[in-house]
Amino acid sequence: MSDAKLLTPKTSIHTQSPRTKRRNAAETRFKVFGMIAISIGLLMLVALMGTILSKGIGAFQQSFITMEVELLEAKLDKKGNRNLSDIKKVTTFGYTPLIKNAFAKAVKDQGIETDLKTKDMAKMLSKSAAAQLRNVVIDNPQKIGQTIKFRFLANSRIDGYLKGRVSRESIANDKNVSVAQLDFADQLLKAGVLKKTFNIDFIIGADASDQRPEAAGIGVAMMGSLFMMLVVLGLSLPIGVAASIYLEEFAPKNWITDVIEVNISNLAAVPSIVFGILGLAVFINYMHLPQSAPLVGGLVLTLMTLPTIIISTRASLKSVPPSIRDAALGVGASKMQSVFHHVLPLAAPGILTGTIIGLGQALGETAPLLLIGMIGFIASNMPTTIGEGLLSPNSAMPAQIYEWAKRADPAFYERAWGGIIILLVFLVSMNTLAVILRRRFERRW
Amino acid sequence: MFDAPTIGSTVELQDSKITASGVHVFYGDTHAIKDVNVNIAAKTVTAFIGPSGCGKSTFLRCLNRMNDTIDTCRVEGNIHLDGEDIYDRRVDPVQLRAKVGMVFQKPNPFPKSIYDNVAYGARIHGLARNKSELDAIVEKALRRAALWGEVKDRLGAPGTGLSGGQQQRLCIARAVATEPEVLLMDEPCSALDPIATAQVEELIDDLRTRFSVVIVTHSMQQAARVSQKTAFFHLGHLVEFGDTPTIFTNPSDERTESYITGRIG
Ligand SMILES: Nc1ncnc2c1ncn2[C@@H]1O[C@H](COP(=O)(O)OP(=O)(O)OP(=O)(O)O)[C@@H](O)[C@H]1O
Ligand SMILES: [Mg+2]
C-alpha cells in the first residue's frame, strides 16, 4: 500500500488538472447557452408585450366632445304632455338639429372663429350621437325643455387624429373627414370641448356596426366568454376528475383501459376545429340547440378541455406516494375512503392547476366557435338572466377580437389589440390564481 | 445472544389465530413464497426472520390481503383467520384489515396532524361516540406507542414533521388505536433508537395479552426478546418454525443455524 502511494505523482489541489479544466469549460459553455436561450425568450416576450401594449392601449381611451344641448320642447314633444309613446315617435333625425344648435352655441361661447358649417361640425360626432341623446331623453322625459351638458362620442377619424393615427396628409382621399374639420378639432381641443379620456364603454359595452368603431366595446362578448367558462368549469371539472379517479384508482389494468388511455392522449392532440365541427353536427344539427349560444360554445369547449383535465388529474393522482394509500388501507379504510380522505386532498393542487390551465386554453380558443356561429354575430345587449346568458346568441372575446381584426377600418384594428390586452389580463390572472392556489394547498409528505 | 431473556416464554400458548397452508405467492413470474405452512397462535408474538429479500414482507402482507393492491401479485393456498378463509369470495378485505392491522416497513404517516393520524381509524370505524371518547382513544394509543410524552403539547402539528423514529411510533399508535385482533409489524424498530426500541418491545409484550402480534425483524436479539414463536424464511421457503428458544438454541436445520450465527444473510 505504501508502494502505491509512492508511485502516484503528488498533485496539488490548488492547481487545476487538465481534466478538471475541460470539465469546467464544458460547464461554463452550457451555462452560457442556457443564458442566451433565456435572454432570447425574454426579448421575444418583451417585444410581444411592447407591441401589444403600444398598439392596444389606445382602445382604452376615446375622444369625446362635451357640449350643452338644449332639449327643445318644440322638437321633441310637440304636444307638451311628456307622453312617452309620443316622445318615442321622434326619430334620431329629430335630434340632429339640436346637435347642430349645440355646436353653434359652443362656438359662440368659446369665441371660436371658424367657417365650418354646423352640418359639417355635427358630422364630426359618432353616427350614434343622435341615438345616444335620444336614449337619454327617453329615459328622462322630464329633462325636455332644459339645457343639459352632454358628452358626445367623436367619430373615429377625429379620435384617430387625437391618437395620431390620422393626419392632414393621410386624409387626402378620405371623404369622411376634411382638413377644415381637423382644424376645427384643434380649436375645440384648445377650448377644452374636445377631450381624450378613459373609456369604460370599451370594457363593458357591446360591439357596434362597421360604421361606428368608436362605439364598439368588448363587454358583451366578455359575458359570452364568462358563460361559456361557467359551462366548461361546471361540466369538465366534475366529469374529468371523476373519470381520472376511476381510471387511476379503481379501473382494472387491462387492454380496455389501455385503449381508453391512449385515446384520451390522442384527444388532447386533436385540433380544436374538429371539436367545433363535432359540436355543429351533434349539438346544433342533431340536438337542435340554438346557434351562437354560449351554452353550445361551452359544451364544445368542454369536450376540448376534458382530455387536458383528465391527463393532469391523473398525473397528480399518480404523484401521490403509494405508501399513503397503503397506510389508509392498512387501518381498514375502504378504497374510496383512502382516495377521498387522503389521495385527493394531496392531488388537489395539481388538479386545480390543470383545470385552470385547461380553462385558460378554452378561454382563448377561437376556431371551434367559428363553426357554431359565435363569430361575426353582433350581440347588442347584456344578458339579464342566467338562462338568457346561456341561450341567447352571443360572441366570445377571442371571436370578437378576430371579428375586429377582420374589418377594414383601422379604428377597429386598434380595438382588436385592446381586446387582446383584456384577454391577456384574464389569462395572466387565471395563471396567477393557479400558482397561488398551488402554493397555498401544497403540502409536504 | 442465545441466553437473552425471553419475556414470558413460559406463557401457555392458545390455539391458532391464523393458519396458513400451502401458500404460494407470485409477482408476475417471480415465485416469491413457496409452499409456506404456518400457524400463528392467539395471544402470542410470532417473529419472522430471514435474510433480505426472502419474502418476509410478502408473506406478512398476505395475512391482511395488502397484496391485493399489487396488480401483478397472485396468492395461492389457504389462509384462515379464526377458521374462516380470508381469500374467500365473500370476504371484504376492508373488514379483514380492520381486524388485522399493519405497521409498515417505512413510516408512512398521513400528511395530517398527529391527532388526525391516530384518530383516523377510530373515526372511520365509528369507535368513538364523541370528542372526549376520541381524545381518550388517541391518548391511549399514543401512550402505548411511547410517543405521548413527546407530542402531547403539539397534537395539531403535522405528523410528517416528526423525526423518522417518532413517525414510526406514530404509525404504531395509529394501528393500535383501532384495537385490531392481529397486528402485523414489518420491521417496526428499524428506524428507532435503543430507548424507543425498548419501549416498542414493551408495547408488543403488552399487546400480547389481548392480540396476536406478528413481527418481522432483522435483529436476532429482538426476535429472541419479544417472541414466543419464530419462523425462519430463506429464498421464499419457510425453513423452520417453532418455539423461539428452540430455534435459537437448538435449530434443526443447518441453514437456520448458519443464519442465526451470522454465516448467511
Ligand atoms: N411489488 C413487487 N413486485 C415484484 N416483485 C416483488 C415485489 N415486492 C417484492 N418482490 C420480490 O419478492 C421477493 C421477496 O420480497 P420481500 O419484500 O417480501 O422481502 P423481505 O424478506 O421483506 O426483504 P427485506 O428484509 O429486505 O424487507 C424479493 O425477491 C422481491 O424482489
Ligand atoms: Mg421487507
Side-chain angles (χ1 to χ4, degrees):
Chain A
M1 196 160 148
S2 54
D3 292 344
K5 230 179 212 165
L6 288 174
L7 285 175
T8 44
K10 191 170 158 25
T11 56
S12 158
I13 54 165
H14 287 159
T15 55
Q16 289 190 349
S17 73
R19 260 182 96 81
T20 315
K21 270 188 194 134
R22 272 205 305 280
R23 235 171 7 211
N24 289 348
E27 192 169 316
T28 312
R29 270 200 306 278
F30 180 77
K31 280 192 202 156
V32 170
F33 286 146
M35 277 180 323
I36 292 176
I38 288 181
S39 317
I40 292 176
L42 279 181
L43 216 68
M44 298 286 206
L45 188 70
V46 169
L48 183 76
M49 285 300 162
T51 322
I52 292 176
L53 278 181
S54 66
K55 293 204 173 175
I57 207 78
F60 293 89
Q61 292 199 316
Q62 206 62 45
S63 307
F64 293 98
I65 295 178
T66 314
M67 295 183 296
E68 290 186 350
V69 189
E70 196 184 355
L71 302 174
L72 293 170
E73 189 170 21
K75 294 270 184 202
L76 304 181
D77 189 16
K78 290 196 183 93
K79 291 185 189 148
N81 57 9
R82 304 291 183 267
N83 186 337
L84 206 56
S85 60
D86 285 335
I87 296 173
K88 278 187 179 164
K89 279 188 191 131
V90 181
T91 64
T92 51
F93 291 111
Y95 287 82
T96 316
L98 303 185
I99 293 174
K100 289 183 192 161
N101 291 348
F103 267 110
K105 183 172 183 311
V107 168
K108 205 175 84 202
D109 288 354
Q110 304 294 336
I112 297 172
E113 288 184 20
T114 179
D115 296 333
L116 204 64
K117 295 200 186 85
T118 52
K119 187 182 86 182
D120 292 325
M121 292 180 187
K123 278 188 184 155
M124 291 166 66
L125 296 183
S126 164
K127 291 211 163 54
S128 58
Q132 281 180 325
L133 190 58
R134 181 170 177 267
N135 287 343
V136 169
V137 170
I138 287 173
D139 287 347
N140 311 286
Q142 79 282 2
K143 289 207 170 155
I144 292 177
Q146 301 173 8
T147 299
I148 60 166
K149 224 176 161 78
F150 197 84
R151 203 174 72 148
F152 293 98
L153 268 174
N155 76 20
S156 69
R157 297 304 193 284
I158 302 299
D159 182 51
Y161 178 60
L162 260 62
K163 289 175 181 167
R165 190 173 64 229
V166 171
S167 66
R168 285 182 176 72
E169 293 77 50
S170 75
I171 59 166
N173 297 319
D174 193 338
K175 58 183 185 319
N176 289 320
V177 65
S178 66
V179 174
Q181 281 176 329
L182 294 189
D183 291 340
F184 184 57
D186 279 338
Q187 288 168 321
L188 289 179
L189 198 59
K190 220 159 134 206
V193 176
L194 174 61
K195 253 199 210 127
K196 194 173 74 173
T197 53
F198 176 71
N199 178 24
I200 188 77
D201 280 331
F202 174 65
I203 300 171
I204 61 172
D207 190 17
S209 67
D210 273 3
Q211 300 303 309
R212 299 179 290 119
E214 63 280 350
I218 201 168
V220 175
M222 208 187 280
M223 287 310 279
S225 281
L226 177 78
F227 279 105
M228 286 203 308
M229 288 307 110
L230 286 181
V231 174
V232 175
L233 185 68
L235 289 177
S236 63
L237 185 64
I239 296 178
V241 171
S244 323
I245 291 178
Y246 177 74
L247 279 175
E248 200 54 47
E249 306 282 340
F250 294 95
K253 302 275 172 290
N254 54 27
W255 67 270
I256 301 179
T257 41
D258 284 349
V259 168
I260 292 175
E261 189 162 332
V262 169
N263 274 306
I264 289 173
S265 313
N266 285 343
L267 274 183
V270 166
S272 54
I273 195 141
V274 176
F275 289 106
I277 213 157
L278 182 76
L280 175 67
V282 175
F283 298 129
I284 295 181
N285 291 346
Y286 179 70
M287 290 167 67
H288 298 293
L289 292 177
Q291 265 192 25
S292 314
L295 174 66
V296 179
L299 288 173
V300 170
L301 294 179
T302 300
L303 294 180
M304 212 195 76
T305 318
L306 260 180
T308 315
I309 292 188
I310 292 181
I311 290 173
S312 65
T313 304
R314 292 188 66 182
S316 32
L317 288 174
K318 268 201 190 91
S319 72
V320 176
S323 64
I324 297 291
R325 296 179 179 83
D326 281 354
L329 296 180
V331 291
S334 69
K335 187 102 194 180
M336 184 145 162
Q337 285 172 327
S338 95
V339 170
F340 281 87
H341 295 168
H342 302 290
V343 179
L344 208 54
L346 291 176
I351 295 175
L352 276 177
T353 314
T355 306
I356 292 176
I357 288 173
L359 277 185
Q361 275 177 7
L363 184 66
E365 196 55 68
T366 325
L369 306 183
L370 206 66
L371 287 158
I372 54 167
M374 291 186 80
I375 290 181
F377 183 85
I378 298 180
S380 43
N381 293 312
M382 278 283 179
T384 47
T385 62
I386 293 178
E388 199 180 305
L390 288 172
L391 291 172
S392 65
N394 204 334
S395 191
M397 278 197 279
Q400 182 72 74
I401 292 167
Y402 170 75
E403 180 63 24
W404 281 338
K406 228 171 50 178
R407 291 185 193 168
D409 195 323
F412 276 117
Y413 193 59
E414 177 188 80
R415 291 188 127 62
W417 286 99
I420 287 173
I421 293 181
I422 293 184
L423 190 61
L424 282 181
V425 167
F426 272 93
L427 291 177
V428 169
S429 13
M430 281 168 77
N431 286 342
T432 315
L433 185 72
V435 172
I436 292 173
L437 285 176
R438 196 167 46 201
R439 288 267 165 80
R440 168 158 265 187
F441 288 113
E442 209 154 56
R443 292 203 220 148
R444 279 160 286 123
W445 57 74
Chain B
M1 146 165 55
F2 300 140
D3 44 25
T6 52
I7 305 165
S9 55
T10 52
V11 170
E12 89 181 67
L13 301 177
Q14 310 209 337
D15 34 44
S16 54
K17 183 81 183 164
I18 297 180
T19 44
S21 54
V23 176
H24 291 264
V25 181
F26 303 86
Y27 290 109
D29 293 334
T30 318
H31 198 168
I33 292 288
K34 297 157 191 163
D35 193 24
V36 167
N37 300 288
V38 75
N39 280 339
I40 290 162
K43 303 193 176 175
T44 309
V45 178
T46 307
F48 288 177
I49 58 170
S52 190
C54 66
K56 306 179 296 292
S57 300
T58 302
F59 186 69
L60 197 69
R61 291 167 61 94
C62 288
L63 302 181
N64 69 343
R65 292 188 56 174
M66 279 306 284
N67 281 333
D68 290 12
T69 60
I70 300 171
D71 288 320
T72 55
C73 184
R74 194 155 48 82
V75 179
E76 285 174 9
N78 290 311
I79 301 177
H80 289 249
L81 172 72
D82 292 328
E84 291 176 319
D85 184 4
I86 66 166
Y87 280 90
D88 191 278
R89 259 187 317 108
R90 287 166 296 178
V91 172
D92 183 349
V94 172
Q95 240 170 311
L96 171 70
R97 288 181 203 129
K99 282 189 172 193
V100 185
M102 184 154 197
V103 176
F104 295 83
Q105 194 162 354
K106 278 186 228 130
N108 55 355
F110 300 128
K112 296 182 188 293
S113 71
I114 294 172
Y115 184 93
D116 287 339
N117 261 283
V118 182
Y120 183 67
R123 278 202 182 115
I124 59 173
H125 297 306
L127 299 184
R129 271 167 312 198
N130 53 41
K131 177 89 172 85
S132 60
E133 274 186 28
L134 195 60
D135 288 348
I137 289 176
V138 170
E139 178 175 345
K140 189 171 156 208
L142 285 170
R143 277 189 194 282
R144 281 165 147 193
L147 191 60
W148 177 252
E150 285 155 73
V151 300
K152 64 172 187 285
D153 301 323
R154 48 175 175 142
L155 291 175
T160 39
L162 297 173
S163 79
Q166 289 173 326
Q167 288 189 13
Q168 187 61 296
R169 278 179 283 154
L170 180 61
C171 294
I172 293 173
R174 183 176 65 189
V176 299
T178 56
E179 304 275 335
E181 295 171 19
V182 180
L183 187 62
L184 310 176
M185 304 176 109
D186 197 346
E187 295 183 41
C189 299
S190 58
L192 301 190
D193 66 29
I195 297 169
T197 303
Q199 286 166 330
V200 171
E201 286 176 7
E202 222 168 276
L203 159 72
I204 292 171
D205 199 53
D206 168 50
L207 293 176
R208 187 168 56 86
T209 58
R210 270 160 305 155
F211 319 138
S212 297
V213 179
V214 183
I215 176 170
V216 172
T217 177
H218 278 290
S219 155
M220 297 311 121
Q221 291 92 329
Q222 185 172 54
R225 278 195 302 267
V226 299
S227 71
Q228 290 79 52
K229 291 275 191 178
T230 297
F232 171 63
F233 286 81
H234 187 236
L235 299 175
H237 294 283
L238 176 66
V239 173
E240 197 168 344
F241 177 57
D243 290 340
T244 302
T246 320
I247 297 270
F248 279 99
T249 51
N250 191 15
S252 54
D253 196 290
E254 62 184 80
R255 284 171 293 180
T256 317
E257 188 176 352
S258 316
Y259 181 70
I260 57 180
T261 54
R263 267 179 279 143
I264 54 171

